[in-house]
Amino acid sequence: MALQPVKFYQTGTFTVGNRLLGENQRAVQANMERTNSLNSGHRACQGCGEALGARYAIDAAMRATRNQLIAANATGCLEVFSTPYPETSWQIPWVHSLFGNAAAVASGVAAALRVKGRHDVRVIAQGGDGGTTDIGFGCLSGMFERNDDVLYICYDNEAYMNTGVQRSSATPPAARTATTAAVGAAPGNEFGTGKNVPLIAIAHGIPYVATASVANLRDLEYKVTRAMGIHGARYIHIHVPCPLGWGSAPADTIKVARAAVESGLFPLIEAEHGEITGRTAIRRRVPVEEYLKLQRRFAHLFGKQSDAARIAQIQAIADRNIRRFGLME
Ligand SMILES: Cc1ncc(C[n+]2csc(CCOP(=O)(O)OP(=O)(O)O)c2C)c(N)n1
Ligand code: SF4
């Protein structure tokens, strides 16, 4: 599927078919033949961005592989809400790895398929940011460095949500979590450090890296489809708001995700073999406050007196992303 930029918004509701678009421009979800890979009956919270992102990503991967797909899934919300024993919401071959080894399990599955000559069957690994950027990071880096034939998808909700909202190395500065309390002189998570796994993946020189967001599901489908058309190690990092952990309204999931993209805090980019090859320009730039104010995890920045200095530091991060990736060009 080539990316067809949609010029006008009034093309019919995305999920029911973009009916005013031509057949070849419509989304995977618009096709009645879609897999429904993550089916009804799962127990994600209302408005869960991770459930939405996974559904769109895996349906797109299934279409791209003509339904010849196996997924390894790290422990985390996505695994827990979709597979309470003895039930499952997955309509695909799916294996639960440990919290930290989804990339290694997927590499093993890919190696076994290669030995058996099953070149038609493709492999995905998926997990949350904790399973990816923290405990699973070594396995992931090994998968990249060996160029194993796996697409790894990280659903980044910026903390360990499954176990009660503890910080991860993807938690943003100033965010309140169960382990970064909003107290003291510098409330919330640390400023200045952190771990940008998309950039680290690019540094491995692997065939394909992309960031995506549930704010732009068409772009997400395109990137997954593109990744499945390539062999070797691939990585997609999807920003998925978590109403429970972020303290946002379930109905605002897309609004929150969009504000992250449009403020520059979550840049949408693509890279091939170590070079940045694509970026999605910001359509209507918004100040970071528009993103932060929608979430109670940042409420301490907007008390009786707003914390202008720390908001300015967050704005500086967004501005740097915009400069670095040319998001306003
Ligand atoms: C070795 C090990 N340590 C801790 C846990 C407990 N545990 C399970 S899921 C999880 C956090 C998952 O966070 P993340 O990967 O960010 O996914 P999310 O739930 O946020 O989607 C933790 C700490 C575990 N299963 N295994
Ligand atoms: S805690 Fe967050 S990531 Fe987990 S199911 Fe609820 S909304 Fe989704």
Side-chain angles (χ1 to χ4, degrees), residues 122-179:
R122 309 297 303 283
V123 184
I124 276 192
Q126 54 182 356
D129 49 290
T132 305
T133 73
D134 292 341
I135 192 169
F137 188 65
C139 291
L140 182 67
S141 176
M143 185 204 109
F144 289 164
E145 164 272 311
R146 293 185 304 268
N147 201 22
D148 291 332
D149 191 16
V150 174
L151 167 63
Y152 191 106
I153 301 179
C154 172
Y155 301 100
D156 183 5
N157 54 24
E158 302 185 334
Y160 294 11
M161 298 312 180
N162 173 51
T163 41
V165 198
Q166 296 85 17
R167 83 176 284 281
S168 78
S169 54
T171 300
R176 180 205 64 197
T177 67
T179 46

Side-chain angles (χ1 to χ4, degrees), residues 8 65 81 93 135 144 162 176 207 230 235 241 259 280 288 300-301:
F8 304 107
T65 59
F81 72 60
I135 192 169
F144 289 164
N162 173 51
R176 180 205 64 197
I230 298 171
Y235 180 74
T280 303
V288 293
H300 52 280
L301 299 177

Side-chain angles (χ1 to χ4, degrees), residues 172-217:
R176 180 205 64 197
T177 67
T179 46
T180 54
V183 294
N189 196 36
E190 289 280 327
F191 266 85
T193 50
K195 201 188 287 184
N196 190 323
V197 173
L199 291 184
I200 297 171
I202 292 171
H204 284 73
I206 59 175
Y208 186 72
V209 178
T211 57
S213 165
V214 291
N216 194 340
L217 291 163

